[in-house]
Amino acid sequence: MRLVRTFLSLLALVSTAVEGRSATGQRVLVIVEHAINRADYSQFWDSLQARGFELTFKGPKEETHQLVEYGERNFDHLIMMTPSTSSFADHLRPIRLLPTLLESGINTLFLSSPSQTDATSSLYREFDLEFSPSQTSLLTHNPLPGKSGSYVAFDLEDGLHGEVPLSVIPESVRQKGRSASSGVGRKMVVPEGLTHTPGSNPFLIPVLHAPPGTFTGDLPRLSSSDDSSEEDYDDDNERRTKNKLQQVIAGEEAGLVSVFQSRSNVRFGWVGSVGMVKDDVWTAETLNPEFISSLTSWIFQETGVVKVLSTEHYRIREAANGGAEDGTIKETRDRFKGYTVKEDVTYEIALAQHDPSSSSSSSLNASYVPFEIDDLQLDFTMLDPHIRTSIPFAGEVVTSSGIRAGLYRKTFQVPDRHGVFKFVVDWWRPGYSFVHESDTTSVVPFRHDEYPRFIRGAFPFYTGAGLVSGGFLVFCWLWMHLGVEGDKVGRGNGVEKEGKKTK
Amino acid sequence: MSTPIPPGPAGREVKLAYPIPKISKTTLINTSALLRFTILTVISAAAIASRLFAVVRHESIIHEFDPWFNYRASKVLVNEGFYEFWNWFDPTAWYPLGRVVGGTIYPGLMVTSGIIYNVLHYLNFPVDIRNVCVMLAPAFAGLTAWATYLFTCEMADESTGLLAAAFMGIVPGYISRSVAGSYDNEAIAIFLLMFTFYLWIRAAKTGSAFYSTLSAIFYGWMVAAWGGYVFITNMVPLHVFVLVLMGRFSNRIYTAYSSWYVIGTLASMQVPFVGFLPVRTSEHMAALGVFGLLQLVAFVGIVRRLVPDKQFQSLLKTFVVLAFTVALAVLVLLTTSGWIAPWTGRFYSLWDTGYAKIHIPIIASVSEHQPTAWPSFFFDLEMLIFLFPAGVFLCFRELRDEHLFIIIYAVLSSYFAGVMVRLMLVITPVVCVSAAMAFSTLLKTYMDPVVPSIDMDTDRDSVIIDEKGEKKTPRAYAEKVKASKPGIYGLDTRLAVLTPLVCSLVMFVYHCTWVTSNAYSSPSVVLASRNADGSPAVIDDFRSAYKWLRENTEEDAVIASWWDYGYQIAGFSNRTTLVDNSEYGVTHIATVGKIMATDEATAYPILRKHDVDYLLVIFGGLIGYSGDDINKFLWMVRISQGIWPDEIQEPNYFTPRGEYKMDASASPTMKNSLMYKMSYYRFPDLFGGGQAVDRVRQQVIPNTPIELNVIEEAFTSENWIVRIFAVKKEDDIGRGLPESTAFAKGTKLKKSKSAKVGGAKKKGSQKA
């Protein structure tokens, strides 16, 4: 066993060096509870390892292998296969786990089963997911021959949520699912699925819901005789009565698989049934391998990962000494204190998408390809957006770090308002990393010598000033040269005398 | 003080009450000149020395609030040059609006210290700009004493001048704004005020265009230095106007005022902040009007000389009526059409003390703008306030042109000083001058050794050979003697009056020193207190908090605090502030008031919109520092109520019985306000279950723990005076901050926020 594990980890190590498919890392911590036999899921583990992930298996109460130590994460992703566990090691307790995951950016796949505990359900409620009470399951009236009612098989398009982004479930998987309707096979199989209803949390993306003709109900006891984990909740009659479904949910309301991307692009996924990744349904006949693989690809930051490589803003000015070939120079933010009002300013942002298929070199940089979209928008904002404009794709660029990226560029005129402005690019699309870039700059008023020296509208004033000055000089000249000597003196004294007289 | 009076030159024997040594006239003149110089130097030295208490007690530090901005601006001026200073746009103030500093300040102070700094460096004195700034006020106080001496000499004689200079040097009313470290506009403005007045009096007396030009130049400097220049702008025209009304118009006045007005107005318009105000606001219209009036009067004078008397009378009447009507019509027309700005609110508040409280709470909220309490007159001026009317009375007795100036100054400034505390500063010089005149007259009368005799009236000229302007006194004196022969005959009478006078002078010095030392020498960023054993202790919470900010926050962090602390945060911590002491935008101040006055849920979006990272409150409840934010809180409420009357209402912050209380009976609005929560957060914990007593308000704070959701405590200073709270970011997974706080505390959700429990729709309800 040990040898196998060593070999596996060695294999994983080698494959990491070669591939590096996830944008954030390959280390996965898998927490498997004792009720679940890890070997029953070997196909799933193998598929992950084949994609280059290093798996570390631990029990829910093991204190070793902290997710994060000294502020550095030991694992990049987490798989929680612990539906029926109610007490965890300290670092895995929900109250500790959730902040750790969010702060350190650890992506997590949660696997549920009808034996899910209340503690786990209440953790999921933080994500605005309401799981059905334990001991309930997705049921069908038309089970497959030889299977119980809780073993639901259906066409993907019957269960796929209408707005699932292609980056989560790509077209190829959907295509394979479609062939199921033409009778080939390749159906989704959900054995003993615990359903949930996704709330209105904007970060939540429902992926798979219950197909028509299915509903949630109490887990049929007779059919679960072959379930290995049956013993756990056999004698739990009291809880079952308490948790009895108040209302049955079905169809689109009954979610089976949902994913979540946090504000800081940490991804989570919930799969309503551990059985979906079990070896007996992980076969070439079902669509589960493809579906789960594409799902984990998204959760573990392989697909739909968009990165802002650089942003820049500058003004174009006539070069004083002809430094650049076209007679203009870029003045970057280091060289001036801010833009002047009504100035033309150019903003650039470089976006790249992670490409999991590029396994050419060990360099992580090479795994990015230019990202081209046509709905990127730029705000120039101070409290409120003063300018809101689209920022078009301007071609590919190779950044200084050697990454090929898509460059977006916009030139616009700064509004006639001084203050601290922000260039904000906000691009939130489900299935992709949220792009939120904010660059602060200040817009300053004209300097005292930047106003035009002479303006046409002021010519009356110039004329007026000139005339008065000239008139004064003429008056002085007349006063000095035309006045009679005696008269001048007399006039001065006269007023003086008047003044004294009134006194 | 008073020059000994020698016996008459005619050789006639004068009876003396006490013997005086025989000194030749030249020696006397030389000695008195030397004495005057020495005394003036000593007075200046005393003026400087008494302002150094703060530096000796604490350290060479900039005081209070506004000086911190002036200091920061001076640093920019010195480090980056005059043009950079002129065009300085400060993006860290009034975030995110920014402040165009160069165009919104009176640069005189910074330019003055910048010049001093550069001169000293040119002379190879490597002085730090901070020390220049700290010492600027005492240095200029020394100059003020000199200017007061010159000014008073124009009014009376040199001995009065010296007395006035001594008063001015140490009077607390002036020291309050000019101790070392009090680097504010007033520090140089009072010197400029006195010197401008002196030059104006010289110009009006002599009709010298040279002096009036000098006066205008100093007026220009004054305009560049202090907004109070408007006082001069109205004082001088008023003086001229009264002179004209009294029929004392002369070519001297005409020359002096016309040169002063034209050059002074042009000079004042060079200050960017003032710009076209002198021709476009009502405050400056009096000066313009008097300028016009003088031209008319001079013109009438010329016409009168040329036209026969009879026609002149009717001509004059028509002309005066016409001119008055036209001028008034033009003024009204220009005002209504918006070319001339009407009186600003700040000015209205000078006439109606209740005006600001109703209409512009932002002005009323400043403690300096409160009406003056009567004890502060005695506190700031001591015996001078009693001598002041006597001095004004003496001016009436002589009533020369310059005495009119004193009278007008006294009347105007008495009113203003009663209306606003900060205008105490304006009345102080005239009080010193008048009191010196009264005191000097008393001293002179009783120190005069000449015993009245019956034959004295025959040679009145021989009694006193003194400075000009004193010629009337002996005559009046002699006439009195002739009438009833009253007078001071013996040495005992003299001593009986002189002894109390000298005693009161000593008391005055004692009082001034005491007030300076105890009331006006606190830097207010460092508080002095005493330990239980009586040893002095320093409460340094402000500086430690600002240091924390400087060292522990991001360089572009935005700090929201009440505007009083804006300059200090910028000066000490070099961080961006939302509002500061420049009273630049009412809406912005009201926004901060709203943040403080509303509950967390309302405040949070505002905080995030303004990118606020930290909130700073001053809380004095633990050690009894009464100048804290809760005592200013009602102003925040009032100011934000002015902008959002629907959301903030002042009555909601009082108890049902209308009391402003923080204890258990405080209103819910008060208890939910961010200000209350930040101030008393964890406060009862300090008392370990005992009664948590707020020592400022003497109220018991309820023990219920205060919960903060959208902010978290980041720093609290040693004595809890400064408390800094960090604003949380939005929750990463889209919960409300109260929910995420609850989760962090271990509360488990029983129900998700919006997801349906078990499905609510009926249509899918199939039974298993």
Side-chain angles (χ1 to χ4, degrees):
Chain A
M1 186 66 200
R2 181 173 224 140
L3 198 71
V4 172
R5 190 185 289 173
T6 320
F7 175 72
L8 278 179
S9 57
L10 203 69
L11 192 75
L13 205 71
V14 170
S15 60
T16 318
V18 174
E19 293 193 46
R21 297 183 54 170
S22 166
T24 56
Q26 302 297 112
R27 298 163 299 174
V28 185
L29 180 66
V30 186
I31 308 291
V32 187
E33 65 184 11
H34 294 301
I36 293 175
N37 183 7
R38 194 203 328 158
D40 291 346
Y41 302 85
S42 59
Q43 301 273 5
F44 178 48
W45 311 134
D46 289 348
S47 79
L48 285 176
Q49 275 161 343
R51 274 157 55 196
F53 289 106
E54 312 161 34
L55 307 183
T56 308
F57 293 94
K58 284 289 152 196
K61 287 189 182 169
E62 286 180 65
E63 294 282 356
T64 55
H65 291 81
Q66 298 273 323
L67 281 167
V68 174
E69 267 178 331
Y70 309 114
E72 286 288 319
R73 62 176 188 227
N74 289 332
F75 298 96
D76 307 303
H77 314 289
L78 175 68
I79 296 177
M80 292 289 278
M81 206 183 250
T82 56
S84 62
T85 311
S86 54
S87 68
F88 290 92
D90 188 53
H91 73 286
L92 291 176
R93 284 189 303 127
I95 192 168
R96 290 273 314 276
L97 181 66
L98 183 55
T100 311
L101 298 179
L102 291 171
E103 281 160 22
S104 309
I106 298 172
N107 309 292
T108 310
L109 173 66
F110 296 101
L111 293 146
S112 303
S113 82
S115 57
Q116 184 164 298
T117 60
D118 277 354
T120 312
S121 289
S122 74
L123 170 67
Y124 298 161
R125 286 193 188 106
E126 299 292 331
F127 295 90
D128 216 359
L129 282 173
E130 184 68 47
F131 273 76
S132 299
S134 62
Q135 306 311 323
T136 63
S137 161
L138 185 70
L139 300 173
T140 174
H141 282 303
N142 306 307
L144 291 177
K147 300 287 182 185
S148 74
S150 64
Y151 186 93
V152 182
F154 57 93
D155 292 341
L156 178 63
E157 59 195 36
D158 287 339
L160 202 60
H161 210 274
E163 285 154 13
V164 179
L166 284 172
S167 60
V168 181
I169 304 297
E171 187 56 39
S172 59
V173 176
R174 296 172 197 231
Q175 196 59 52
K176 281 173 189 156
R178 249 170 239 136
S179 60
S181 47
S182 54
V184 184
R186 308 291 274 170
K187 284 177 178 250
M188 288 298 303
V189 177
V190 180
E192 293 197 352
L194 184 69
T195 60
H196 59 257
T197 47
S200 57
N201 192 319
F203 301 107
L204 203 55
I205 309 168
V207 177
L208 197 65
H209 61 73
T214 58
F215 54 91
T216 47
D218 288 344
L219 195 65
R221 307 199 59 198
L222 55 131
S223 66
S224 58
S225 55
D226 55 346
D227 198 315
S228 56
S229 54
E230 162 65 14
E231 294 81 30
D232 282 342
Y233 34 87
D234 211 14
D235 40 23
D236 212 336
N237 280 326
E238 205 178 348
R239 200 177 70 190
R240 291 185 56 195
T241 46
K242 194 180 77 186
N243 288 345
K244 249 195 164 25
L245 269 183
Q246 290 142 357
Q247 266 176 321
V248 171
I249 55 169
E252 283 192 25
E253 281 178 351
L256 285 169
V257 175
S258 294
V259 292
F260 188 100
Q261 178 169 283
S262 81
R263 213 178 280 273
S264 50
N265 294 328
V266 186
R267 290 173 177 177
F268 299 90
W270 291 266
V271 171
S273 161
V274 174
M276 277 177 84
V277 297
K278 213 169 177 181
D279 283 353
D280 57 348
V281 296
W282 194 278
T283 59
E285 283 76 49
T286 67
L287 195 59
N288 287 23
E290 283 84 358
F291 180 84
I292 296 293
S293 292
S294 60
L295 192 74
T296 49
S297 287
W298 187 83
I299 295 169
F300 294 161
Q301 308 268 3
E302 286 179 8
T303 53
V305 177
V306 178
K307 186 165 139 184
V308 178
L309 289 170
S310 66
T311 61
E312 195 179 16
H313 53 91
Y314 52 86
R315 59 180 160 206
I316 304 280
R317 280 218 164 165
E318 297 286 319
N321 47 8
E325 59 274 10
D326 57 347
T328 56
I329 46 165
K330 274 188 188 178
E331 282 201 29
T332 49
R333 68 191 91 172
D334 307 327
R335 293 173 51 187
F336 68 105
K337 287 179 174 175
Y339 297 103
T340 311
V341 293
K342 296 168 110 173
E343 196 171 43
D344 283 331
V345 53
T346 304
Y347 181 81
E348 286 179 355
I349 183 168
L351 295 180
Q353 185 177 19
H354 178 67
D355 178 19
S357 63
S358 72
S359 52
S360 52
S361 88
S362 59
S363 163
L364 209 64
N365 295 345
S367 62
Y368 281 92
V369 291
F371 186 58
E372 186 177 348
I373 41 171
D374 56 2
D375 57 352
L376 203 63
Q377 188 172 278
L378 170 72
D379 283 356
F380 193 57
T381 178
M382 178 179 73
L383 292 182
D384 301 308
H386 282 57
I387 284 174
R388 173 170 282 172
T389 174
S390 68
I391 169 164
F393 185 70
E396 281 185 28
V397 71
V398 179
T399 62
S400 53
S401 49
I403 304 178
R404 284 165 59 235
L407 186 71
Y408 296 78
R409 182 190 293 129
K410 183 78 183 183
T411 303
F412 61 93
Q413 194 190 40
V414 169
D416 189 6
R417 176 81 185 83
H418 60 75
V420 180
F421 279 83
K422 288 187 288 191
F423 297 94
V424 177
V425 172
D426 227 349
W427 188 77
W428 286 37
R429 297 292 182 274
Y432 287 99
S433 309
F434 299 139
V435 173
H436 180 87
E437 271 302 306
S438 173
D439 281 340
T440 306
T441 187
S442 43
V443 174
V444 303
F446 290 115
R447 289 175 66 89
H448 69 281
D449 53 357
E450 280 179 337
Y451 292 96
R453 182 65 70 175
F454 294 104
I455 43 179
R456 257 179 87 192
F459 272 113
F461 297 97
Y462 303 146
T463 322
L467 281 179
V468 169
S469 309
F472 180 71
L473 289 177
V474 170
F475 178 79
C476 289
W477 188 82
L478 287 175
W479 180 270
M480 286 187 289
H481 293 272
L482 296 184
V484 185
E485 281 300 307
D487 189 37
K488 215 167 74 183
V489 176
R491 195 179 295 167
N493 288 348
V495 181
E496 184 78 1
K497 272 176 200 155
E498 300 303 324
K500 278 187 179 161
K501 225 179 262 173
T502 47
K503 190 173 175 182
Chain B
M1 282 282 152
S2 122
T3 331
I5 299 151
R12 184 184 284 265
E13 195 60 34
V14 175
K15 205 179 161 196
L16 292 176
Y18 53 91
I20 52 169
K22 294 220 187 258
I23 305 165
S24 81
K25 204 177 157 190
T26 2
T27 319
L28 197 67
I29 291 170
N30 288 340
T31 317
S32 64
L34 179 67
L35 269 177
R36 273 204 302 275
F37 179 77
T38 317
I39 292 169
L40 208 52
T41 314
V42 170
I43 287 172
S44 295
I48 293 168
S50 68
R51 283 164 170 80
L52 298 182
F53 273 112
V55 174
V56 174
R57 293 253 175 81
H58 298 280
E59 60 196 279
S60 175
I61 187 182
I62 304 289
H63 290 193
E64 293 194 312
F65 307 109
D66 287 17
W68 273 100
F69 170 75
N70 299 331
Y71 169 52
R72 194 162 148 247
S74 303
K75 278 202 286 192
V76 171
L77 173 67
V78 166
N79 295 332
E80 296 180 28
F82 180 73
Y83 283 113
E84 286 306 316
F85 171 68
W86 187 359
N87 291 304
W88 183 24
F89 176 78
D90 184 4
T92 66
W94 297 92
Y95 184 88
L97 307 173
R99 181 182 177 200
V100 187
V101 181
T104 57
I105 55 162
Y106 292 103
L109 182 73
M110 299 86 183
V111 173
T112 308
S113 51
I115 290 170
I116 294 173
Y117 174 86
N118 284 323
V119 167
L120 287 177
H121 275 245
Y122 181 75
L123 298 175
N124 290 325
F125 287 104
V127 185
D128 185 16
I129 181 68
R130 180 173 55 92
N131 288 322
V132 173
C133 295
V134 167
M135 291 303 167
L136 191 75
F140 269 85
L143 288 175
T144 310
W146 173 64
T148 311
Y149 166 76
L150 292 175
F151 180 78
T152 320
C153 286
E154 295 299 320
M155 300 294 159
D157 53 6
E158 277 90 352
S159 49
T160 316
L162 288 176
L163 201 55
F167 286 159
M168 195 62 198
I170 57 169
V171 68
Y174 177 37
I175 285 188
S176 67
R177 292 320 206 89
S178 63
V179 292
S182 179
Y183 180 57
D184 211 345
N185 292 337
E186 289 91 334
I188 64 168
I190 295 302
F191 161 69
L192 295 172
L193 181 88
M194 285 315 282
F195 207 70
T196 309
F197 281 163
Y198 159 69
L199 291 169
W200 162 250
I201 294 295
R202 267 317 277 267
K205 263 174 128 174
T206 58
S208 148
F210 172 70
Y211 275 109
S212 59
T213 307
L214 271 186
S215 172
I217 288 168
F218 272 88
Y219 168 72
W221 190 1
M222 172 79 178
V223 174
W226 192 36
Y229 76 89
V230 182
F231 186 67
I232 304 183
T233 318
N234 288 293
M235 237 341 267
V236 172
L238 194 62
H239 183 213
V240 172
F241 185 63
V242 171
L243 286 176
V244 170
L245 284 188
M246 289 175 72
R248 292 190 178 190
F249 174 78
S250 65
N251 275 4
R252 287 181 285 116
I253 299 291
Y254 179 82
T255 316
Y257 185 75
S258 297
S259 335
W260 177 83
Y261 178 73
V262 172
I263 299 173
T265 306
L266 284 177
S268 67
M269 286 169 80
Q270 305 311 310
V271 181
F273 187 34
V274 177
F276 279 92
L277 290 183
V279 290
R280 293 195 59 172
T281 56
S282 300
E283 287 94 329
H284 299 79
M285 282 304 116
L288 180 63
V290 169
F291 179 64
L293 183 76
L294 276 191
Q295 311 309 316
L296 290 180
V297 172
F299 178 69
V300 166
I302 292 169
V303 170
R304 187 177 189 180
R305 213 169 41 86
L306 300 172
V307 178
D309 262 7
K310 205 113 189 227
Q311 281 110 322
F312 176 76
Q313 289 298 328
S314 52
L315 200 66
L316 182 69
K317 273 178 199 159
T318 335
F319 181 70
V320 165
V321 171
L322 200 72
F324 183 77
T325 326
V326 167
L328 194 73
V330 167
L331 189 68
V332 168
L333 199 73
L334 286 178
T335 310
T336 47
S337 65
W339 277 94
I340 297 176
W343 300 93
T344 55
R346 208 177 275 248
F347 249 73
Y348 281 128
S349 62
L350 279 180
W351 310 120
D352 176 7
T353 47
Y355 179 89
K357 200 170 172 181
I358 301 162
H359 295 96
I360 25 176
I362 192 121
I363 288 177
S365 73
V366 184
S367 61
E368 289 174 346
H369 294 165
Q370 306 298 326
T372 318
W374 67 264
S376 69
F377 280 99
F378 181 77
F379 191 72
D380 279 355
L381 303 166
E382 218 240 353
M383 65 158 185
L384 303 185
I385 197 68
F386 309 122
L387 293 168
F388 169 50
V392 176
F393 172 73
L394 286 175
C395 289
F396 268 107
R397 275 189 43 187
E398 277 195 67
L399 214 60
R400 276 183 283 136
D401 289 359
E402 59 267 27
H403 292 131
L404 266 175
F405 189 82
I406 291 279
I407 293 163
I408 298 165
Y409 187 176
V411 170
L412 278 186
S413 62
S414 303
Y415 177 78
F416 290 139
V419 170
M420 252 187 215
V421 174
R422 73 187 294 185
L423 293 179
M424 248 348 240
L425 193 64
V426 175
I427 196 180
T428 306
V430 71
V431 167
C432 288
V433 172
S434 307
M437 286 168 80
F439 209 92
S440 167
T441 311
L442 264 174
L443 282 179
K444 227 178 282 171
T445 312
Y446 283 92
M447 280 168 95
D448 183 3
V450 181
V451 173
S453 60
I454 296 147
D455 58 345
M456 250 190 80
D457 55 330
T458 53
D459 53 356
R460 57 171 78 122
D461 292 359
S462 65
V463 179
I464 293 172
I465 34 147
D466 214 338
E467 307 80 28
K468 57 173 178 144
E470 282 301 312
K471 280 168 192 160
K472 274 184 176 177
T473 326
R475 191 202 298 152
Y477 180 57
E479 275 163 8
K480 258 190 194 168
V481 171
K482 203 167 78 179
S484 60
K485 287 178 201 126
I488 311 142
Y489 288 89
L491 209 56
D492 50 348
T493 339
R494 288 182 162 80
L495 282 178
V497 175
L498 287 177
T499 313
L501 282 183
V502 172
C503 283
S504 65
L505 277 182
V506 172
M507 280 303 294
F508 176 70
V509 172
Y510 186 77
H511 173 85
C512 292
T513 316
W514 181 84
V515 169
T516 310
S517 151
N518 286 295
Y520 292 137
S521 291
S522 162
S524 96
V525 284
V526 183
L527 307 173
S529 78
R530 299 225 169 261
N531 288 330
D533 59 355
S535 59
V538 167
I539 297 173
D540 214 354
D541 280 35
F542 285 100
R543 287 198 296 179
S544 67
Y546 294 141
K547 186 174 182 221
W548 184 89
L549 274 180
R550 190 176 65 234
E551 293 179 348
N552 294 283
T553 61
E554 296 283 325
E555 271 182 35
D556 55 355
V558 179
I559 321 283
S561 70
W562 190 234
W563 57 278
D564 295 15
Y565 314 105
Y567 281 162
Q568 289 184 351
I569 293 171
F572 277 107
S573 313
N574 195 19
R575 290 293 175 269
T576 306
T577 56
L578 223 53
V579 292
D580 64 33
N581 313 43
S582 60
E583 302 167 37
Y584 168 70
V586 179
T587 318
H588 230 54
I589 292 179
T591 305
V592 176
K594 190 180 176 187
I595 289 171
M596 300 291 186
T598 51
D599 56 9
E600 286 188 285
T602 320
Y604 188 66
I606 310 173
L607 287 169
R608 293 297 295 160
K609 187 178 178 188
H610 290 83
D611 301 326
V612 176
D613 297 306
Y614 293 93
L615 278 161
L616 181 146
V617 285
I618 306 297
F619 173 64
L622 187 66
I623 61 153
Y625 173 68
S626 63
D628 69 352
D629 275 353
I630 291 187
N631 279 359
K632 295 171 183 168
F633 186 46
L634 279 182
W635 288 112
M636 306 183 197
V637 172
R638 277 175 204 149
I639 290 169
S640 53
Q641 184 180 5
I643 307 284
W644 295 281
D646 299 335
E647 294 173 67
I648 315 274
Q649 275 113 21
E650 194 183 338
N652 295 343
Y653 293 86
F654 291 101
T655 60
R657 290 169 60 197
E659 293 161 317
Y660 184 61
K661 280 197 151 181
M662 300 296 142
D663 56 13
S665 62
S667 72
T669 319
M670 172 62 91
K671 281 185 175 171
N672 285 327
S673 71
L674 220 49
M675 172 57 73
Y676 182 94
K677 285 187 166 186
M678 286 193 287
S679 291
Y680 294 115
Y681 181 64
R682 298 200 303 124
F683 180 63
D685 298 358
L686 276 182
F687 296 81
Q691 283 197 325
V693 181
D694 181 328
R695 283 176 62 188
V696 173
R697 288 153 282 271
Q698 299 301 332
Q699 289 164 9
V700 179
I701 306 305
N703 259 323
T704 39
I706 292 170
E707 278 188 20
L708 292 175
N709 291 320
V710 305
I711 52 175
E712 56 197 347
E713 189 178 6
F715 176 83
T716 296
S717 63
E718 186 188 350
N719 297 296
W720 284 50
I721 291 184
V722 186
R723 309 199 68 184
I724 300 171
F725 292 82
V727 178
K728 289 186 191 168
K729 300 274 178 287
E730 279 95 353
D731 183 56
D732 211 9
I733 55 173
R735 298 169 292 180
L737 283 174
E739 286 83 10
S740 66
T741 317
F743 175 77
K745 282 182 181 162
T747 316
K748 285 180 184 165
L749 282 179
K750 294 279 168 249
K751 190 171 155 307
S752 79
K753 195 173 143 204
S754 60
K756 291 168 202 131
V757 182
K761 283 186 185 171
K762 286 271 190 275
K763 72 176 182 189
S765 57
Q766 294 165 291
K767 279 283 168 217

